[in-house]
Amino acid sequence: MAERRRRQRRIDYPRRGRTGPRRWLPSWRQQLSGLLLGAGLFVGLFAAVYVSVEIPDENAEARRQATVYYWADGSQMVSVGAVDRQNVELSQIPDSVESAVISAENESFYTDSGVSVTGIARAVVSMAGGGEVQGGSTITQQYVKNTYLSQDQTAERKLKEFFISLKLDNSKSKREILQGYLNSSWFGRGAYGIQAASNAYYGIPAKDLNPSQGAMLASLLKGAEEYDPADGAANHQRAVARWSWILDRQVKAGAMSAEQRAKYRSYPEPRKISKPTSLSGQTGYLVDIANKYIKKRSGLTDEDLARGDYRVHTTFEKDKVRRLEKAVRQVRERDLDPKKRAKDRHVEVGAATVRPADGAMTAAYGGADATKHFANNADTSGVPVGSAFKPFVLAAALQHGPRSGSSQVSLDSYYDEHNRLISGGPQLRPATPAGKKYEPPTTLRESLLTSANATFVQLGKDTGLKTVRDLAVASGLREESMARLDRTFPLGTSTPSAVRMAGAYTTFTNGGTRADPYSVTRVVRGGAPVDGFAKPRVQRVMDTSVARDVSDALRFASWRMIDQESVKSLGDVTAGGTSTDDRMKSAWFIGHTGDETTAITLFRTKPGTPQLLPMQGVGGADSERGNNLPPRIWAAYATSE
């Protein structure tokens, strides 16, 4: 019986005649058999999946629809699309462009199997670590992703991409794949494919591209958002470096001679960015603000948005946007005369309205026309905020007190002749030897009204510049827009956007709480909502009593800054802004009434000149450095219907 059991036992495991760990250690024959069995199963599974995965028809991703943006009331604002894509034969594309793309993206294109094993391995490692699926794809894989699959970064999509790429490499020639890739790739500026990109960047068909221009377009395949040279100094620096690298790489690969390379030492600057006429007026600026918010909240890129088929519901109210645009136009036409006064030339205006209750942006003014003036003045930093920053200095002092702790700070606090901060109400100074009149010292409330620079420099020092900065950032100003913490910091050397200033000022009228400004309530694609668009949560920034005190001081200040007769119908008004004592190259006004807070900035900038131009004389001799113009725009906007 025992002999029969031994004969029936086909696999000697655990191993007979062994003791300890050796009993459980497979023999070399067992290990080899297991390895061969595993390999056979893997090959069988691989073959089964390979056979089951079919090359689909070109999907809707390659026939993209427009993206539609909606006003707050649900009516359509604009439809952006269809996609700018024009297919061309590979014979119409210069060899130098082909070699630039291959050198930049996939040097082994003509010899590989259509997939990158190392790229797949990196993806698996990333997935195992809980990260996103990585890139590192071949040209064939990128073509498959562009043409047959979605852009979703999932393991399932990556697996399909792998097998379809293998099949495609066996069913199509490398030339056909390269042609499809060049016709389906994203180059930025709304352009899909080399023909549309050539027109967008150089205004010529792809067949006329020279090797230098081809290398520049090839550099965009790494990511047009970071390599379009017209989109900021950092982009330009990256673009030039990659363009040069691609040309050098072609020499190394034998696709270009050193003599040819020597002809291209100057970067081929592309034409300026242009926008479709559907984005004229304020529409382009509103779409720009919405897209920035979408990318921040959802992780979508410009390329994702350009693929279209999104339904974007914004917070912008059509009537308020048009009223704001009308108010700017009226004041410009009435108070500026660029034909007669040189100082009235190159004047720019930016404005934004935020609803204090929840941070919703209801209106914005980005410039005269988004198709002609591309910088969005409403949402662009770079303009010093001047005395409009002083309420944050006051709020920090009221909230935290002086660092020495020697006295309590209130609106009635003042500095004595020894530059000491004194608590309580103003007291009379003793008579001077010269017998001058007794005058009460200037309180912090009055200093905000008169925009007293010396007082706020000292108040910022006593409170702590870092404390002031932290409170301003907590109120909603971006940390990257904050200036260096030096003596002039309390005077407003920081450069926040109008959007951020409007949002930060709501902290004072909200009793010390605020929500980040938001411009999109919902994004839908293919009937499914895109995650990330819940309302920003409300945060407490300062005590209610502090916010109330600053708001009271701003109400006091509004009497100096605006014509009360013209806005008496509005009721309670609070306001902050720049004054005649400001020496910044800008003019600001932030006004609050009813259920909205609006920030308006005015400055001068000339194309090709990096620094802002002086403001002295803007609007005429009595314009007070242009500081009276933003309040007039606000009054015209707030009282219009």
Side-chain angles (χ1 to χ4, degrees), residues 423 438 508:
S423 303
Y438 294 160
F508 305 132

Side-chain angles (χ1 to χ4, degrees), residues 477-498:
L477 303 187
R478 294 194 184 283
E479 188 163 2
E480 56 268 28
S481 72
M482 293 291 99
R484 187 176 59 184
L485 298 183
D486 60 15
R487 181 177 179 277
T488 62
F489 178 75
L491 304 183
T493 51
S494 298
T495 58
S497 68

